[in-house]
Amino acid sequence: MNTFEEINLKGYVDEEIDPTLDLFVEIEKLKKQKNAVILAHYYQDGDIQDIADYIGDSLGLSQQAAKTDADIIVFAGVHFMAETAKILSPTKKVLLPDAKAGCSLADSCPPYLFKKFKENYPDHLVITYVNCTAELKALSDIVCTSSNAVQIVESLPKDQKIIFGPDKNLGAWVAKKTGRDLVLWNGACMVHEIFSREKITKLKERHPGAKLLAHPECEDVILEMADYIGSTTGILKYAGSHQDKEFIVATEAGILHQMQKENPDKIFIPAPPNNNCACNDCPHMKRNTLEKLYLCLKNEMPEITVPEHIIEKAVKPIERMLEISAQLGL
């Protein structure tokens, strides 16, 4: 058994696993023994998605975390997502297979700098994208996801001044969709900013019938090319509900696993990034593995904790998001 210090240093439980073990079977056993639930984001590896009790985007995962009756939540995602689960279910034990699974977007908005930024706009309401730290949520009035950002802004009075952070690309897209003048924090996601317009153009030439589906965290030059812009869930639904057979997907490549499972007769091509890789993986999301998930559930470590005073402040804007989403049927 690793010591707390060792786990803290590595970010995960590092133990040898019997190679003859069927990890899918073992994880199912542990889930029953411990009354645990596994929540996984669409950007996780296929094996993790296949063992999960619920797969979704940030909104769906938040909704599941708020209503689960499990004693333990294993969050197969990144750190801010596990924090959100802990904020919504403070009495439950929340585990993350690799505690160092962070987020470049969350890192781009240090709470102490955002607090100073916010002080320059005292009459503005603060909406933060869920991809941020618990401390940043505690500085917010409403949290949103890419699934509901437009609707949440539109639900507010037209004369309400708004700060939107931390994602400038999502914020700019929301401003364009709503016609509202938003004050934007200058943050971005490394995964969604790296798509190459030139390479996508060439790819579309080779696949003239393919529809380009893009996440609103992408830069405007990519969004302008897109046939559909939406959250990971929105992209998944669009691909399933339209007759087209080929799609180029401009978001983290992990979503292709579910797209292919739900639509085996269709072709999904990851949009090429502006580097030498064939597809666009989030290095943080991919820190989680099936082995780490098994050891995490077996040892009930690493555990994610959030200070009580942060939970008290951060839960209000998240609950407001869930209330508005419920009212709008999202």
Side-chain angles (χ1 to χ4, degrees):
M1 172 68 180
N2 296 169
T3 65
F4 178 79
E5 288 75 20
E6 286 173 330
I7 293 169
N8 228 19
L9 192 64
K10 291 184 176 178
Y12 59 93
V13 177
D14 186 12
E15 288 179 8
E16 282 193 24
I17 298 173
D18 180 348
T20 65
L21 277 183
D22 183 329
L23 292 184
F24 286 93
V25 171
E26 295 303 315
I27 288 168
E28 288 295 344
K29 281 184 197 169
L30 287 169
K31 274 163 52 179
K32 287 177 183 148
Q33 286 170 15
K34 296 172 182 274
N35 187 28
V37 65
I38 298 172
L39 307 182
H41 194 276
Y42 285 126
Y43 296 166
Q44 292 292 289
D45 276 334
D47 282 349
I48 292 178
Q49 292 186 44
D50 290 343
I51 197 69
D53 298 290
Y54 179 83
I55 312 155
D57 61 7
S58 296
L59 176 59
L61 293 167
S62 296
Q63 289 166 330
Q64 289 295 318
K67 70 183 184 183
T68 183
D69 57 2
D71 296 316
I72 295 175
I73 298 171
V74 182
F75 214 114
V78 292
H79 200 275
F80 78 79
M81 296 178 176
E83 281 186 335
T84 302
K86 185 64 179 177
I87 291 164
L88 290 168
S89 299
T91 62
K92 299 183 188 304
K93 183 175 275 191
V94 177
L95 308 174
L96 184 64
D98 191 324
K100 292 195 175 180
C103 172
S104 60
L105 177 55
D107 291 344
S108 74
C109 191
Y112 75 97
L113 289 180
F114 187 81
K115 188 178 180 184
K116 290 181 180 176
F117 178 76
K118 176 183 169 182
E119 285 166 2
N120 295 324
Y121 305 94
D123 55 346
H124 284 53
L125 184 139
V126 177
I127 299 177
T128 51
Y129 185 31
V130 71
N131 297 32
C132 66
T133 62
E135 289 88 349
L136 200 71
K137 292 178 176 73
L139 293 169
S140 311
D141 296 294
I142 310 175
V143 168
C144 74
T145 72
S146 52
S147 291
N148 60 21
V150 168
Q151 293 92 328
I152 282 176
V153 169
E154 287 179 336
S155 74
L156 301 171
K158 282 195 165 58
D159 59 352
Q160 175 63 63
K161 295 176 180 177
I162 298 169
I163 293 171
F164 188 97
D167 194 290
K168 63 181 179 181
N169 295 321
L170 176 62
W173 178 72
V174 171
K176 188 182 284 189
K177 291 281 284 184
T178 61
R180 306 288 279 268
D181 184 20
L182 307 179
V183 176
L184 304 180
W185 174 267
N186 188 27
C189 163
M190 61 184 275
V191 173
H192 289 96
E193 280 225 310
I194 203 171
F195 290 113
S196 166
R197 180 188 177 95
E198 182 185 352
K199 288 182 182 177
I200 291 173
T201 301
K202 288 178 180 175
L203 189 60
K204 282 176 76 70
E205 286 171 4
R206 295 201 300 275
H207 301 269
K211 290 284 188 291
L212 175 62
L213 314 181
H215 193 282
E217 286 182 46
C218 294
E219 291 181 312
D220 193 51
V221 291
I222 304 300
L223 298 182
E224 284 174 355
M225 303 171 69
D227 297 289
Y228 173 80
I229 302 166
S231 68
T232 43
T233 296
I235 287 171
L236 196 59
K237 287 180 178 174
Y238 184 96
S241 62
H242 283 71
Q243 298 303 311
D244 305 276
K245 293 294 182 184
E246 275 191 301
F247 300 90
I248 298 166
V249 186
T251 189
E252 212 276 352
I255 193 176
L256 271 67
H257 180 71
Q258 283 304 313
M259 296 180 95
Q260 205 67 71
K261 273 181 77 173
E262 294 185 13
N263 307 279
D265 59 327
K266 297 184 179 183
I267 297 168
F268 299 100
I269 308 161
N274 193 20
N275 58 26
N276 295 323
C277 298
C279 63
N280 214 34
D281 285 328
C282 171
H284 298 291
M285 284 282 185
K286 297 305 191 277
R287 284 186 73 94
N288 297 315
T289 63
L290 194 66
E291 290 77 14
K292 287 179 185 176
L293 193 154
Y294 163 69
L295 290 171
C296 159
L297 184 52
K298 178 186 166 201
N299 295 286
E300 297 184 21
M301 294 178 80
E303 182 178 359
I304 301 303
T305 59
V306 180
E308 280 186 31
H309 71 281
I310 296 293
I311 289 178
E312 283 176 21
K313 291 180 181 176
V315 74
K316 293 171 186 173
I318 300 173
E319 285 180 340
R320 194 163 174 198
M321 170 189 77
L322 294 174
E323 285 164 13
I324 293 171
S325 296
Q327 288 165 8
L328 297 173
L330 300 174

